[in-house]
Amino acid sequence: MSSLLVLAIVVAIGLVAFFIGRQRAAAQDNGKVKPHSRAHYHGWWAFLLAVLPALLLLAVWAVGSSVYLDRHIHAALPERTVDSKVASEALDVSLVKSLARGLRKLDAGTLAAPPASFAELQPLLAAKGVALASDTQDYMIPIAVEANKVQDRLGLFGAVVILALSIAGAFYALRQIAPRARARNNVERLMLWGLLAASTIAILTTVGIVLSMLFQTITFFESVSPMSFFFGTVWDPRFAAAGSGGSQGQFGLIPLLAGTLYIAAVALLVAVPVGLMSAVYMAEYATPRVRSVVKPALELLAGIPTIVYGIFAVVTLGPFLRDLSAALTGGSPFIQGQSIFTAGLVMGVMLIPVVSSLSDDIITAVPRAMRDGSLGLGATRSETIKRVILPAALPGIVGAILLTASRAIGETMIVVLAAGVAANLTINPFEAMTTITVKIVNQLTGDLEFNSPQTLVAFALGLTLFALTLVMNIVALYIVRKYREQYE
């Protein structure tokens, strides 16, 4: 029995227990004894007892069955010798598992007497759309057949145990229903533990991401000096193919960091003024009819994939700016087809909905009484916006700008197509530069050894980008607190 089917049955048992529990609790409320919990709390408690323990056992059983099946296949494999045709035992197990999955697509008659050789079996599997590696050996066929039988037995036994546990949990909860039973406390306590578990998962995920980058970064710095990485001005990793023993190269961070901040700054110069002014217009000046049209149309920009923006930049905007600059100078263009200005302009257009939507919600949330008080004292609408509404909404607007900056720093596709991949160090916005995210992609693609500096530098770049974003959060939090205290 498949895990999905078991899950569906468990949820169905939980729903039945919910309705029965709620109905039984409502029937016991005869007015003589004041009930501690409302009827639906008893239903939810029955649902949770019927579902949660069974789901936990289902997860544990799935993991345990997979481990047991791997060991069973490993034990059934013949002893490895020097003449073994498969490279490793792990590959042996993987091939058997792939073969076992393919055998399940054959009809019952073929499975009753499967071919003895892989050469005979392969056409039958190919007819069912199953492609297996050519390293699959004849002796793996009976092992795969037996593995399927073991897996079926494990699945059937586990399904019986899980469904029995679900039914037992439902009966136990239904037997506990009484007017003074504390079902509400039980449900709220369980939900509290669920929220705590969700928060813990989020925190542990962040810690795991940081540690995974940190360990690889430490390995990278064993080969490359941190001083040359953080303060180097030349990016020349000198790609070396796996096993070629190529030279190490230079890994200067400064050109990539400068490009990241430069392009993000240009994007913010475009997105923040336009987005903030459009938010002020929609929140304070636009009629409800205009707002209902303009706001969705503006937010439609956020739904366009970034690769489309990149294609627009490299096909339309970049050549247009290059030809325009050539026409202005009457000779060679001073704006390259791929440049900081092009990437920042396109990225700024992409980020306008982020600033506009968030700022609009923040400005709209300012209490109406503050507007009426300012207007009642004789201030004009523009003065009210400048001296009352924007200061009140400033902490939220700073948060919106921070989110926009983080999005700009993490963008990749627009930079690849609109700014290029050249790690230049320049202050001219009309020349090409690249960013940290682009080089992370470059370093993790291609035929490279994973433990080479050319690959490990991607983790150092990722950790640097994480630290940069963290510093931005700290600075923004300081600004928010400072202006909030000043306003209050």
Side-chain angles (χ1 to χ4, degrees), residues 69-70 72-73 77 91-107 111 114 118 121 125 128 130-133 136-152:
L69 186 62
D70 287 348
H72 177 81
I73 295 174
L77 291 173
L91 182 58
D92 265 335
V93 175
S94 177
L95 292 174
V96 172
K97 292 173 69 175
S98 299
L99 180 58
R101 288 191 295 268
L103 289 175
R104 291 189 177 277
K105 296 188 177 183
L106 299 178
D107 55 81
L111 287 178
F118 180 68
L121 180 62
L125 294 175
K128 299 293 183 178
V130 178
L132 296 178
T136 307
Q137 304 298 315
D138 296 343
Y139 66 82
M140 296 180 180
I141 297 176
I143 300 177
V145 173
E146 181 63 23
N148 281 338
K149 294 180 180 179
V150 172
Q151 187 176 20
D152 292 340

Side-chain angles (χ1 to χ4, degrees), residues 241-265:
S244 65
S247 58
Q248 178 174 290
Q250 301 182 68
F251 301 91
L253 175 66
I254 298 298
L256 307 184
L257 183 61
T260 300
L261 298 178
Y262 205 164
I263 295 175

Side-chain angles (χ1 to χ4, degrees), residues 220 223-225 228-229 232-240 245-253 443 452-455 457:
F220 168 73
S223 303
V224 178
S225 170
S228 64
F229 174 74
T233 58
V234 177
W235 177 265
D236 184 19
R238 298 181 186 175
F239 282 96
S247 58
Q248 178 174 290
Q250 301 182 68
F251 301 91
L253 175 66
Q443 300 306 124
S452 66
Q454 286 84 358
T455 301
V457 69

